[in-house]
Amino acid sequence: MAKYLVETYYTCTFKVNHYLDNVTEEELRNLEKRDDGKFEVLDVKLDNRKTKNLDPKNNKIVDNKKVDVFSNLQKQDTKKLENILNPKINNTEKNGKRFSMPDRRKGYIQKATIGDHKVYLHTGEYEDGKIGEIFIDTSKEGELVKALMNNFAIAVSLGLQYGVPLDEFISAFVGTKFEPSGKVHGNDRILSATSILDYIFRELAISYQNREDLAHTPSLGGLETSNSDEQNSEDQNQLLKIVKDITSKGFVRNNYKKNLVDLSDVKISLKGKK
């Protein structure tokens, strides 16, 4: 029985992450000597494979087909490595899926006046209360401005349905300055705005992200927590869950307990008059 020695050569590309408290020339010089880094394999390539005959009396030549078996195994290993090393690609493909809004949805309408301009903000929510779309209506504006605002709302809605976090829109548009601007009437949490976009995303941040830092007035009956609240009975928790399912999260602004009316002790007589 002939014996063979197969030598396979690979090129491995990897990176090492080191965390330094202070970046100095001495630490950078001694960086390669440290063994506390985290390795991440980026790519593995097959460079070359050599086969040596260990039996000098056997003059049999090794066919390439026998070597291809190892190359097929190597291809399977590289596929496994690609699946392990590229989870971000798979995540981006999943994140590229659009989550359409339900046909019958919750939401609220907020009317406010900025200067002499009326702004109507319409929101749509998923079943779990997460915002998925907005509509913006304005008055005293030309057709061009109305069309731009409507299409801007559609673009934001598409971004929300494709998984863009609401925080990204808030950080991008809060603080924008253009006319109309000034005092805001009709909103109990926002007293002034530098533009329509600043007002809209302040309202969304307060209603859906509980961003009290963007509000101008304190929350009424807000987020007071106590030990007694944490020790609610199962019936109260179940009732609170039902209320969350049927009400708009943005409308009540997370103040479910403040807007909840307990009717457990109320008795209703359904008997008619004789």
Side-chain angles (χ1 to χ4, degrees):
M1 182 177 180
K3 295 182 180 180
Y4 301 93
L5 174 64
V6 180
E7 297 178 351
T8 306
Y9 300 88
Y10 296 93
T11 298
C12 181
T13 305
F14 62 91
K15 68 177 182 179
V16 184
N17 295 326
H18 290 279
Y19 296 94
L20 302 178
D21 295 333
N22 296 319
V23 179
T24 60
E25 294 183 359
E26 295 181 358
E27 291 189 357
L28 292 177
R29 290 173 183 173
N30 300 326
L31 190 63
E32 296 181 355
K33 300 179 181 179
R34 295 180 55 172
D35 57 352
D36 60 343
K38 293 183 179 180
F39 294 84
E40 181 180 353
V41 179
L42 301 179
D43 190 15
V44 178
K45 294 181 179 179
L46 173 62
D47 289 343
N48 193 8
R49 178 175 287 123
K50 296 180 179 179
T51 304
K52 296 182 181 180
N53 190 354
L54 299 181
D55 188 1
K57 296 181 181 179
N58 190 356
N59 297 324
K60 184 178 179 180
I61 301 174
V62 180
D63 296 332
N64 292 330
K65 294 182 180 179
K66 294 183 180 181
V67 179
D68 291 339
V69 176
F70 295 94
S71 62
N72 292 332
L73 294 175
Q74 191 271 339
K75 291 180 181 179
Q76 294 178 359
D77 293 337
T78 54
K79 290 181 179 179
K80 293 180 180 179
L81 286 173
E82 289 177 356
N83 295 329
I84 297 174
L85 299 176
N86 298 327
K88 295 182 179 180
I89 298 176
N90 296 330
N91 291 334
T92 54
E93 292 178 355
K94 293 180 180 179
N95 294 334
K97 180 181 179 181
R98 178 183 177 183
F99 297 93
S100 301
M101 296 289 295
D103 294 334
R104 189 177 181 88
R105 64 204 69 168
K106 300 178 294 183
Y108 72 96
I109 302 174
Q110 174 69 57
K111 174 188 174 182
T113 303
I114 305 175
D116 295 332
H117 299 261
K118 295 180 181 179
V119 179
Y120 297 86
L121 174 64
H122 304 247
T123 66
E125 302 174 6
Y126 291 100
E127 295 178 355
D128 59 353
K130 183 179 179 182
I131 185 172
E133 67 179 2
I134 64 171
F135 295 97
I136 305 171
D137 293 330
T138 58
S139 64
K140 295 186 178 181
E141 303 291 347
E143 294 297 329
L144 176 61
V145 176
K146 286 186 176 181
L148 289 175
M149 294 300 294
N150 290 333
N151 285 276
F152 172 78
I154 293 174
V156 173
S157 301
L158 288 174
L160 293 172
Q161 294 174 20
Y162 274 100
V164 179
L166 180 60
D167 292 334
E168 296 293 332
F169 292 108
I170 293 171
S171 61
F173 296 109
V174 168
T176 54
K177 297 180 180 180
F178 59 86
E179 296 297 330
S181 63
K183 293 184 179 181
V184 176
H185 301 280
N187 195 308
D188 59 340
R189 304 301 311 280
I190 303 174
L191 301 181
S192 63
T194 57
S195 64
I196 294 179
L197 297 185
D198 176 63
Y199 159 74
I200 288 173
F201 287 97
R202 280 181 185 271
E203 166 63 25
L204 296 178
I206 296 169
S207 299
Y208 290 98
Q209 298 292 327
N210 196 26
R211 292 285 301 275
E212 295 297 326
D213 57 317
L214 298 178
H216 299 137
T217 59
S219 176
L220 299 177
L223 303 172
E224 298 178 356
T225 57
S226 61
N227 294 330
S228 60
D229 293 336
E230 295 177 357
Q231 296 176 355
N232 291 330
S233 62
E234 294 182 359
D235 295 337
Q236 291 176 346
N237 292 333
Q238 185 66 21
L239 180 61
L240 188 63
K241 182 179 181 301
I242 295 174
V243 172
K244 289 182 179 180
D245 292 338
I246 64 177
T247 58
S248 170
K249 178 182 177 182
F251 180 77
V252 298
R253 288 175 177 164
N254 295 326
N255 297 328
Y256 292 101
K257 295 180 181 180
K258 173 179 174 291
N259 293 275
L260 180 62
V261 179
D262 189 2
L263 301 177
S264 59
D265 296 332
V266 179
K267 296 181 180 180
I268 301 176
S269 178
L270 300 177
K271 295 182 180 180
K273 295 181 179 180
K274 293 183 180 180

